[in-house]
Amino acid sequence: TSNTAQVLRELNRTGLTLVVIEHDMTFVRDIAERVTVLHQGRIFADGSLDEVTRRQDVRDIYLGRK
């Protein structure tokens, strides 16, 4: 995954916009500047990974309750 992340970051540095669908949060943290969470076919949350993962509703639905 680190090789894939490196390639994606390099492509982005050249000006290419990438859309990646992924559930591996470690990988997402490595590559994402902005994330969008979909729930039941609709945008549920959007922003930086930190902003989105701080939301209690996102954690409850996707990351599990602590």
Side-chain angles (χ1 to χ4, degrees), residues 8-65:
L8 294 175
R9 285 192 302 269
E10 183 57 36
L11 288 170
N12 184 250
R13 275 193 287 274
T14 68
L16 188 65
T17 298
L18 303 164
V19 175
V20 177
I21 299 168
E22 181 59 67
H23 293 100
D24 178 341
M25 297 309 284
T26 301
F27 182 72
V28 171
R29 187 168 297 283
D30 284 347
I31 65 166
E33 293 179 17
R34 177 180 171 178
V35 297
T36 301
V37 176
L38 300 177
H39 181 61
Q40 298 181 345
R42 296 178 189 239
I43 294 176
F44 187 72
D46 185 69
S48 72
L49 183 62
D50 288 337
E51 289 170 335
V52 169
T53 57
R54 273 196 301 261
R55 287 183 46 169
Q56 186 63 47
D57 53 356
V58 171
R59 292 196 322 262
D60 289 347
I61 293 171
Y62 290 100
L63 304 176
R65 295 177 189 254

